[in-house]
Amino acid sequence: MNENDKRENRDLNRDPISGAPGSHPVGVGVGGVGGAAAGAVIGAIGGPLGMLIGGGIGTLIGAAAGKGVAERIDPTGEAEYWREAHTSRPYHDAGFDYENDYAPAYRYGVDSRANLPDRSWDDQLDRDLGAGWGEARGGSKLEWDHARNAVRDAWDRSDRTYKAYAASDRYYADAFEKVDYRDADSQFDDYRPAYRYGTQARGRYGDRQWDEGLENELGQGWDKVKGTSRLGWDKAKHATRDAWHGVERALPGDADGDGR
């Protein structure tokens, strides 16, 4: 892929699953509301679920399995996210570049959160990760006093991602017995990746409406995220749409103009 192609992919904010162009710049929160403000307005759905989605979440690999300890955040998607977002961060220094300097720090944050799921960021963790930075940094010119900001950024985003999917699982599992689209021969684990897919998609495409075009786009990506789910898209789309609207309903007014 040449530099022009790479630039076009970044400008279009392509979905890492379907490859379709996104409709808002990377880093914009749900409904075009950024950061903490987005988290506050979405907080109504499932309590912590909305707060976490409002901060932005990534994509899990192995999401269909439902076994949190075995799931990891898609490293390619996170690398693309931080490649765009890092220049807007308060610690960004134009004297360092992304690929050589910042990317190792973001990767270290993502990997550390995956490997230390029972830890929270505190002074002791800061010291522990600082001690390991010398090995993790590779050729990065960032010293720990500077690198820690990027590492912490990636840690926090990863933490939101894991917690958001865990909250999503609990929220929809509790309601699963009563949904009218449930297939009698399928279990919640078959629907779990569809709920997660809709949750992540609504956060990513904050200013899109659920319509036939979006449904078809997401359908193209279903086989890549379904894992061991036995559902075809004709059935999975109902749960995906349910999760999409679950987030949308928490927004003030009718954010996607669908009348719900």
Side-chain angles (χ1 to χ4, degrees):
M1 181 181 292
N2 61 36
E3 288 302 318
N4 288 334
D5 291 335
K6 292 178 181 178
R7 187 177 304 109
E8 178 185 8
N9 280 343
R10 292 196 294 270
D11 291 345
L12 291 176
N13 187 24
R14 292 189 182 278
D15 187 282
I17 297 172
S18 69
S23 58
H24 59 75
V26 175
V28 174
V30 173
V33 181
V41 295
I42 307 175
I45 177 172
L49 174 58
M51 297 294 291
L52 293 164
I53 296 169
I57 59 174
T59 303
L60 288 182
I61 295 176
K67 307 297 184 183
V69 69
E71 296 168 340
R72 299 185 72 89
I73 295 174
D74 172 26
T76 302
E78 290 305 284
E80 288 298 314
Y81 174 86
W82 288 115
R83 180 177 287 108
E84 292 294 325
H86 81 286
T87 57
S88 67
R89 308 306 293 153
Y91 52 79
H92 176 250
D93 184 333
F96 300 99
D97 67 31
Y98 175 77
E99 296 295 345
N100 296 314
D101 300 316
Y102 282 107
Y106 289 122
R107 186 166 55 248
Y108 188 38
V110 172
D111 291 345
S112 295
R113 174 56 183 82
N115 295 329
L116 302 169
D118 299 324
R119 299 283 297 274
S120 297
W121 192 285
D122 54 21
D123 290 343
Q124 184 58 56
L125 180 64
D126 184 289
R127 288 191 291 270
D128 291 345
L129 295 185
W133 174 238
E135 181 177 353
R137 67 191 294 178
S140 174
K141 297 188 295 292
L142 299 180
E143 299 299 332
W144 179 244
D145 283 348
H146 191 170
R148 67 152 52 88
N149 296 309
V151 175
R152 173 72 186 271
D153 233 0
W155 171 285
D156 286 345
R157 176 176 158 86
S158 297
D159 192 51
R160 286 194 303 271
T161 296
Y162 286 115
K163 289 178 178 177
Y165 286 119
S168 173
D169 290 350
R170 291 192 298 270
Y171 183 81
Y172 291 107
D174 288 345
F176 183 64
E177 297 296 330
K178 299 178 181 178
V179 297
D180 58 9
Y181 51 77
R182 178 185 176 187
D183 184 271
D185 296 326
S186 301
Q187 304 298 318
F188 177 71
D189 279 349
D190 292 310
Y191 284 86
R192 183 196 310 270
Y195 288 123
R196 292 181 172 189
Y197 194 29
T199 297
Q200 198 272 344
R202 184 60 181 87
R204 181 173 179 83
Y205 299 112
D207 53 6
R208 293 285 294 273
Q209 297 182 22
W210 185 282
D211 55 20
E212 184 176 354
L214 177 65
E215 186 174 291
N216 289 337
E217 286 179 27
L218 294 179
Q220 293 171 17
W222 171 241
D223 285 343
K224 297 181 181 179
V225 299
K226 65 183 292 185
T228 57
S229 172
R230 295 170 293 176
L231 301 181
W233 180 240
D234 60 324
K235 295 180 179 179
K237 67 183 179 183
H238 300 295
T240 303
R241 183 175 59 215
D242 195 4
W244 171 284
H245 286 304
V247 177
E248 193 276 332
R249 283 193 294 270
L251 295 170
D254 183 17
D256 66 0
D258 71 342
R260 299 180 60 158

